[in-house]
Amino acid sequence: MHDAKVEGDLDGIARQKPNNKTAGLKLKLMVFNMVDSTKVANKRVRKNDKLRIKNTRKIEREKSINVRRVEKAKAKNKTVYTHKIIPLKDSINPRMFLREWLKYKIGEPPVIFDSLLQEKGVEQFGIYLRKRGFYYAEVKDTVLFSDNRKAFAQFDLYPGERYFIDSVYLVGDNSIVKQEYKNFIKDNPEQALEKKPFDSDELDDYRGIVARHMRDHTLFGFSSSHITYLADTNKADMSVKLGIVFSDRLERSEVDKDSVVKIKHRITLVRNVYFHMADTTSYDGNFKAKMDELGLTIAENQFLRTLDTTIYQEILQPKSDEIDPKRVATFLFNGELGVHPALIELQNYLEKENYYKEYYLERSYTRLLQLGIFQAIKPVLEEVKGTKYIDVHYYLVLAKKKTFLFEPRFTNSNGFLGLQSQVSFTNKNLFKKGVKMTIELGGGFESQPPVFDKTVDGEIINKTARSFNTFEIGPSIKFDIPGLFPTKPTLFSKRQRPRTTLSLAYNYQNRPDFERHLVQGNWLYKFYSGKTQIFQVGLPGLSVIKIVNINKDPAFEQQLLNLGDLFLSNTYSKQFIWEDLRFTHEYNNKDADNKKSKSRFYNNLSINLAGNVASLVARIQKDTTDLGQRALWGIGYSQFVKADNDFIYSYPISKNQSVHVRALTGVGVPLKNSRTSLPYDYSFFGGGANDNRGWRARQLGPGSYKYYLDSNRTGTQIGDIRLHLSAEYRISMGDMFKAAVFFDAGNVWTMKEDPNRVGSNFSSNFYREIALSGGAGIRVDFDFFIVRVDVGLPLTNPAMPLGERWIFKSNDRPLFDAEVAAYKLANPNLPAPPRPFTPLIHFGIGYPF
């Protein structure tokens, strides 16, 4: 047998399987056996008795309360009273206690051999092989019993020869259907059945594929039940002559409700399009009373009825002053429309007098959903009897327009605590045009370590202080607008469906070393291409504008001057970032049409250009900073080009195993007005829970720079170039627990030589500076989020002296020890440098990629 699919499916057919194994160990069985069943059962009995006692007391208390309420009602001559209901404890499915949860939720009972199930397995193997085309298969089984009371079941399969489809012919009197099937094979030659195995399961799936094609090509109501097969087998050459039978639709007769009539499949067109705004948000008055007055039920098709009607017909034909008849739609509502009809019609692909295609219906539903302004969307198609037309009805219920949200947060970054909160207000349908406006105000207090270890006078600064020494606050406003603002959304085709993002934010931060003000504005356009691609481009010349104004403490400023490090001086100086262009392209085949591969590909490319428009303006102003940079209004501006790419590949090996690979590449080139490096916020960093897990975040690199000899490394371990590769092998240990083994490799480098960070620049020897790490992790899946714990171990450390960079080298590292001794001698009051090759624990929410 050489069919990989068949061989893979056989593993799941046996009716009895041994206990689940993880890494060769029956962990679930071990957990089950670890907990004493008798103790669990006895405790459950005691808890159930307590539940019954509590429920009895609740019932008695409920009766007592209701007796008093009845007496009060009688005393006040009332005929009714409010009946008190006290919720009872769940005694049918009570909450599990810890040992019970471990034994029956996490654990797995031992699998006991059952001879009847063994026989059933033999029968199931035979049925399966016949369905796969092995009509003369034979299955035998053997059971061996060992001394330690274990049974070893063996199934011997003799499949014999397999039937293959030799030829295909079509049966049916509907030429439209037969021609469309021929078109299907012409467009998808890999779907031809000739030379394929005579597999009943595959043929059953094939009916669904063909039926879907028919509905996507104007044949409304075509289903897999309208396809059957005629098979003529020839045992001499194990071939099958297969007939594909296309039958007509069956519908209940209008004359005799107990009989059905045949209706031929035909090309279907859309007659009218209706949008039912099924709510009473804007209705003035008592809606139910009005329905009673009109003698109507309050609901229709499970949605509220509508009373008012308007016909939308404003879209003109291309290069014409006449109304486009295809873009006409009828809106039904109560009171007034809660959203502009142009926006709703723009999401519909089943246009009037256009062909019906099922993927048009799905696309319309998805587009309406993506607007984010509806809480319910239900499309209903009604066939116009005796014609080739259907009417399209969309029942829509607007979601709550305005929402408030308060989010308190507690942070812990490398042991430094923080308390933050954020208040946000969202209007999902501003101006009734689907504009989403979000106003946020966030801030809080944090404990932040000082930038330097010593004061100007040489006094040691205690970096372990936990006082809330940093205050931060910042408001922001963001508009997500359909179309390309300021043009109308209807100016572009429905396939492009662009959106505009406008945002403005301010942030104020006060630290012991400095006070910082940040203002940023964004103007970005987003375009969708099918189900797989998203393009985003900033408004040319005004994509992003960011201004950072920093007021340094005199002592802190003096320390920067004493150090003479241009990189740090630029990092803690006023900044003006004017992005000329921002471009991103995102590809994701997760929802691709006709997806044949199980693999998932994701790629995100971004390109940023900044400082060129600012350079033109600066030539007019002719202003410079103290550091010699050209300036705009007294602030030096950044000039650079940056490209960054994120690629992810995922492949499921089996139901419980998968392989995932991620590659990060990025390069930024500081141009004329950025002499040292990229701006801090645009730089690359290495290490962390989502990067190289052998290092903490921002503590890897750059290059072979000896970071462990730099007490100010927190602000200097960033670069202009990034190379990173991660690979994960993931294993499912059940619904809740997952495990992973991973390998990470990468580093960051500077584009230019930095005398204060020797070894940081990118050179031809970069491959010798790749940091390697490996490790394992556990993920706990709580359905709504995943908690992740990874343990990463550095395997190579490029910052170490040559000859001492691998973990498997001897513990005797004379060059490293000499460097550390010299550092301690020069800095007796500072903490010792971190030891290399120390395992690190990373906590995270969600998968790393």
Side-chain angles (χ1 to χ4, degrees), residues 275 312 315 327 329 331 340-349 351 364 367-368 371 482-483 488-495 497-498:
F275 292 96
Y312 174 77
I315 306 299
R327 303 290 296 273
F331 284 79
H340 198 283
L343 178 66
I344 303 300
E345 192 281 330
L346 193 60
Q347 317 308 317
N348 174 52
Y349 288 81
E351 297 174 341
S364 302
R367 300 297 182 264
L368 289 167
L371 285 177
K488 292 182 177 181
T490 53
L491 188 64
F492 299 88
S493 72
K494 294 182 178 183
R495 292 182 180 274
R497 55 193 177 98

Side-chain angles (χ1 to χ4, degrees), residues 717-730:
Q717 287 189 260
I718 58 177
D720 309 319
I721 299 172
R722 169 173 64 185
L723 292 175
H724 174 80
L725 180 69
S726 284
E728 270 198 4
Y729 171 61
R730 298 175 186 169

Side-chain angles (χ1 to χ4, degrees), residues 713-745:
R713 56 184 173 270
T714 302
T716 58
Q717 287 189 260
I718 58 177
D720 309 319
I721 299 172
R722 169 173 64 185
L723 292 175
H724 174 80
L725 180 69
S726 284
E728 270 198 4
Y729 171 61
R730 298 175 186 169
I731 312 166
S732 175
M733 299 187 295
D735 295 335
M736 191 170 188
F737 290 97
K738 325 287 179 183
V741 178
F742 59 83
F743 176 81
D744 300 325

Side-chain angles (χ1 to χ4, degrees), residues 11 90 108 282 345 471 487 501 515 590 744 818:
D11 294 335
D90 190 345
E108 180 184 61
S282 303
E345 192 281 330
F471 170 69
T487 61
T501 300
E515 180 185 75
K590 180 181 178 182
D744 300 325

Side-chain angles (χ1 to χ4, degrees), residues 359-431:
Y359 69 88
Y360 278 177
L361 177 64
E362 294 176 352
R363 187 181 294 172
S364 302
Y365 177 83
T366 301
R367 300 297 182 264
L368 289 167
L369 192 66
Q370 288 174 342
L371 285 177
I373 61 176
F374 299 110
Q375 63 170 305
I377 303 169
K378 182 182 179 181
V380 176
L381 305 180
E382 292 183 355
E383 192 171 10
V384 182
K385 299 296 183 183
T387 73
K388 60 181 179 180
Y389 288 99
I390 60 169
D391 286 336
V392 180
H393 297 262
Y394 294 99
Y395 290 87
L396 309 170
V397 179
L398 284 168
K400 188 177 180 181
K401 184 176 180 180
K402 301 174 183 179
T403 57
F404 289 88
L405 184 65
F406 173 69
E407 293 181 286
R409 286 178 291 179
F410 172 78
T411 63
N412 184 346
S413 178
N414 295 326
F416 293 94
L417 307 180
L419 245 144
Q420 298 180 341
S421 63
Q422 180 173 286
V423 180
S424 63
F425 165 76
T426 301
N427 187 323
K428 297 180 180 179
N429 190 20
L430 192 66
F431 309 126

